[in-house]
Amino acid sequence: MTSSPGPSRAEHRRGALLAAVACCLVGASFTANSVLGDYPHAGGQALRYGLACLLLLPLLGRGALAPLRLLTARQWARLALLAAVGMVGFNLAVLAAERTAEPAVPGVLVGCAPVVVAVVVPALDGRRPARPVVYGALLVAAGAVAVQGWGRTDAAGLLWSAAALAGEVGFAVIAVPLVRPLGARLLSTAACALAAVEAALLGAVLDGRAWLRMPDPAEAAALLWQAVVVTVVGFVCWYAAVRRIGAERATLFSGLVPVCAALTAPLVATGSYGWAQAGGSLLVGAGVALGAGTRARRRAAPGAAESPEPSGTAGAPRPPEAPEGCVPAPERAAALRSPDSAARGPC
């Protein structure tokens, strides 16, 4: 078996930086969530993702929507599932969990996402997990537990927290075959559009006419932060990172979410940062350094089943970089004929 070239050192660093920025923005957004407790949950999600979609559209460029016309029905279903599970479902599960559980409980379970992704993504590719990534994921999960602590809960809180974990894993895994053919910006835009529609329909069913109301100034500021910073900037950075370093390594950086949440909580008097949080932050940093800091390019032993390639590119040379939104028709059409081969497109 010959080794396939992995991402360059510079590209690997850019991917790691993009993943770190995305997860830090999500962690800081927990402060914004604290003022949205009384706002209709589904309606708030519809506003957030709808506004994010409108802001992303001008960033796509002329003709950038063309790849959507080449998506198969199965790929559209995957995109809708990404919006339902990884975006709307995740947020609503966290809010439901916090009705009967302290916020630390869903935070701890979501902090285990790197461990699940480190095992699931290689399994879907038919290969064994990379040991440094698994070990790093375990350190990240342990650090998240130390930062968050463990709070009071009941069975319903645990179940909703597990649903939030599934949503976090889905956000990384479901999108993998769509990242390369669509690019980070177009994927983020399409997912936000579908999430806005799904959240609006869910709100109309669950809350009736009360699914949406005019937010007060504090709620409006929180929704704007989530739409502009967390969704527009964070989602594009996240999917660009997945494209460069793969879902396994990118998800390691989700350990920064509770760290950034703990760092920003004292600013609004909703928490404190002590020795436990500092120790947990060091564990997260060590896990990220071990797993994501490992060079993606690695010498393959004869008969080895492991591969350092990002999910969806194992066993194939990495295509050259191209601007997002480009549509080289022959290559893209070939990549989009089969959902299983979608991640091998050149753009």
Side-chain angles (χ1 to χ4, degrees):
M1 178 178 177
T2 60
S3 61
S4 56
S8 67
R9 187 187 296 271
E11 187 178 8
H12 193 264
R13 284 198 298 265
R14 285 196 296 270
L17 178 61
L18 288 167
V21 169
C23 292
C24 286
L25 291 177
V26 173
S29 74
F30 283 9
T31 301
N33 288 338
S34 64
V35 302
L36 292 173
D38 295 329
Y39 195 82
H41 297 331
Q45 297 302 306
L47 281 179
R48 167 191 176 177
Y49 291 123
L51 177 59
C53 177
L54 293 177
L55 293 173
L56 282 164
L57 281 172
L59 303 179
L60 295 179
R62 185 177 180 181
L65 296 177
L68 294 177
R69 294 195 295 269
L70 299 175
L71 291 182
T72 65
R74 185 176 177 183
Q75 288 172 316
W76 275 109
R78 179 181 285 272
L79 190 56
L81 186 64
L82 169 66
V85 173
M87 297 166 67
V88 178
F90 169 78
N91 288 293
L92 295 182
V94 171
L95 292 169
E98 292 181 355
R99 292 188 189 127
T100 58
E102 292 184 358
V105 179
V108 166
L109 287 185
V110 170
C112 296
V115 179
V116 180
V117 173
V119 174
V120 169
V121 170
L124 293 176
D125 275 352
R127 55 188 171 89
R128 289 179 296 180
R131 289 183 181 179
V133 177
V134 174
Y135 296 155
L138 290 172
L139 282 176
V140 168
V145 173
V147 171
Q148 292 276 0
W150 186 258
R152 294 184 301 273
T153 185
D154 58 9
L158 283 175
L159 288 174
W160 282 114
S161 297
L165 169 60
E168 178 72 8
V169 172
F171 186 70
V173 174
I174 296 172
V176 168
L178 299 171
V179 173
R180 195 162 294 279
L182 294 181
R185 289 194 293 269
L186 181 54
L187 174 56
S188 299
T189 305
C192 284
L194 289 174
V197 173
E198 291 170 353
L201 292 175
L202 185 63
V205 171
L206 296 180
D207 300 323
R209 295 182 178 179
W211 75 278
L212 192 64
R213 64 170 173 80
M214 182 66 69
D216 62 34
E219 292 169 339
L223 288 170
L224 281 173
W225 169 268
Q226 289 188 337
V228 178
V229 179
V230 181
T231 306
V232 174
V233 179
F235 280 25
V236 172
C237 287
W238 173 256
Y239 287 126
V242 170
R243 181 178 179 179
R244 285 172 168 81
I245 62 177
E248 299 129 283
R249 289 179 173 84
T251 308
L252 287 171
F253 287 87
S254 65
L256 295 175
V257 171
V259 172
C260 292
L263 284 170
T264 57
L267 299 179
V268 291
T270 59
S272 60
Y273 192 88
W275 288 108
Q277 287 73 27
S281 301
L282 290 176
L283 281 176
V284 169
V288 170
L290 175 61
T294 304
R295 283 291 305 277
R297 183 178 303 173
R298 156 172 91 76
R299 189 177 302 162
E306 298 179 4
S307 169
E309 290 297 305
S311 175
T313 61
R318 185 177 181 85
E321 287 295 321
E324 293 188 26
C326 66
V327 191
E331 294 90 343
R332 186 177 299 280
L336 289 171
R337 288 191 189 104
S338 169
D340 297 329
S341 63
R344 294 194 295 270
C347 297

